[in-house]
Amino acid sequence: MDRLGTCRLTGVMSEHPILVTGATGKSGRRVVSHLRAKGLPVRAAARNGEHFFDWSDSGTWDAALEGVRSTYIVQLDGTKLVRPFIERAMRHGVQRIVLASGRGIDDPDYAKGSSGVLEGIVDSEAAVQESGLEWTISRPGWFAQNFSEGFFADAILAGELRLPAGDGAASFVDAEDIAAVVVAALTEDRHAGQIYELSGPRAVTLTEVVAAISEATGRDIRYVPLSVEGYVAELVQQGLPPADAEAFADVIEPLREGRDEYVSDGVQRALGRAPRTFAEFARSTADGGGWPG
C-alpha cells in the first residue's frame, strides 16, 4: 500500500474503537490512558475492566471485537488462544495487531518450568506473523513496575527485598515506555512487521535498584541475597506449597544468571528517544504517591 493509502487507512481506523485486552494490567491500563490522552476511542477489555472480556470464554470475544480495526493483545499465560482469537478478529475486519510478548522468547534455555508459557507465546507470535494483517510485536524485559505494583512491591514496602538473585543485573524497562511503544504501533503506519525488544538504557543490580528507590523515597530499603534453597524454605514457611515456591525460584533464575543484562534498542527505534532509567522510574513513582510510607 502506498503512503497515501496507508494514511487513509490510519484515518479510518481512528474512527473505530481500539481494543485493548488486559486493560487492567501494567501495560494495558497505560496503553488505555495514552490512547485516551490522544482523544482516541478505546474499548478497555478485561475480566474486571470496563468491557467484560475473558480469554477463557470465547463467547465474550465477538462483543469485544465488534467495530474494531486495531487491537493490543495481552495473552493469557500458558494458553494458545491468540491464534483462534486472531481468526475471529479477521472475520470482524480487524486490520492491525500489536502483540505483547517477551524478551527471551527466542532462547529455549531462558527459563525453567514455564508451565506452557513459552510454548504459548511462541504460538502467538507465529499466529500474528502468519495472519496477513499489519502486525507489531512488543518484547519487553523485566518491568521496573515489578517493584512498585508487582511481584516485589510488598517487600519494598516492608523495607527488605529477599531474593535468590545474587549479583545478577537486568535492564529493567519502565511500563510507561512499553505503553508508548504500543500506542505508536497502534496509531502510526511505520511499525508494521517490526519486533521491538524493549529494555531500559542499562542493567542495574538489585543493590542498585533498592538504592534508587531508597533515594527517591527517603526510606531505608535493603536487598538480602538468598540461596535458592533458603528462598524456597522461606516461602514454604510462609504457607506456599513447595511446588509453587520452587516455581517462584525458577522465575528469578534468569535474573540471577544475568540473562537480562543486555540492552535492547526497541524504545529508541520505535520512539526516537532513549528509554527512561531506573532512577527516573523510581523518582516519578515516588512523586506520584507510590511506595507510601
Side-chain angles (χ1 to χ4, degrees), residues 9-282:
L9 178 61
T10 301
V12 169
M13 286 198 293
S14 69
E15 299 170 3
H16 295 264
I18 298 172
L19 174 63
V20 177
T21 67
T24 58
K26 291 185 187 71
S27 69
R29 74 170 185 272
R30 289 175 169 86
V31 169
V32 169
S33 178
H34 287 212
L35 288 170
R36 287 181 172 160
K38 291 177 174 288
L40 295 171
V42 181
R43 185 170 294 155
R47 280 188 295 180
N48 58 344
E50 298 172 12
H51 183 98
F52 181 72
F53 174 83
D54 187 347
W55 275 112
S56 301
D57 180 3
S58 62
T60 67
W61 295 2
D62 289 303
L65 288 164
E66 182 66 32
V68 166
R69 295 295 176 268
S70 56
T71 179
Y72 177 44
I73 296 178
V74 181
Q75 56 203 305
L76 182 62
D77 285 347
T79 67
K80 294 184 178 179
L81 296 170
V82 168
R83 187 176 295 274
F85 182 76
I86 290 175
E87 293 170 357
R88 188 82 60 90
M90 291 171 70
R91 293 201 293 271
H92 279 272
V94 169
Q95 300 169 36
R96 179 174 293 176
I97 293 172
V98 180
L99 176 71
S101 184
R103 290 209 313 175
I105 187 67
D106 49 1
D107 179 1
D109 299 321
Y110 178 78
K112 296 188 300 185
S114 61
S115 302
V117 172
L118 180 61
E119 293 88 343
I121 295 175
V122 168
D123 187 68
S124 298
E125 287 204 3
V128 166
Q129 292 172 311
E130 295 164 5
S131 68
L133 303 177
E134 290 187 25
W135 60 264
T136 308
I137 294 173
S138 164
R139 287 183 178 175
W142 284 77
F143 285 41
Q145 275 74 7
N146 283 329
F147 297 97
S148 60
E149 55 190 76
F151 303 118
F152 313 133
D154 288 343
I156 294 296
L157 288 173
E160 191 169 83
L161 183 65
R162 301 172 64 84
L163 289 173
D167 296 325
S171 52
F172 298 100
V173 60
D174 192 325
E176 292 291 345
D177 283 341
I178 298 169
V181 169
V182 170
V183 169
L186 286 168
T187 61
E188 299 172 1
D189 302 318
R190 62 188 182 85
H191 305 283
Q194 294 295 317
I195 297 176
Y196 291 126
E197 284 212 350
L198 309 176
S199 77
R202 73 176 187 91
V204 292
T205 65
L206 292 186
T207 298
E208 292 173 305
V209 161
V210 297
I213 298 174
S214 295
E215 181 176 352
T217 60
R219 299 173 57 232
D220 182 24
I221 303 165
R222 295 195 309 141
Y223 164 55
V224 180
L226 302 176
S227 67
V228 173
E229 295 76 15
Y231 179 68
V232 169
E234 283 195 4
L235 293 182
V236 170
Q237 188 174 24
Q238 293 167 17
L240 258 67
D244 290 347
E246 290 170 4
F248 275 111
D250 287 343
V251 169
I252 306 301
E253 183 184 47
L255 179 58
R256 181 173 63 253
E257 297 189 353
R259 294 182 188 166
D260 272 306
E261 286 186 4
Y262 68 98
V263 172
S264 298
D265 66 354
V267 174
Q268 182 69 48
R269 285 199 296 121
L271 304 178
R273 65 163 174 81
R276 294 209 299 177
T277 66
F278 191 90
E280 288 173 320
F281 151 75

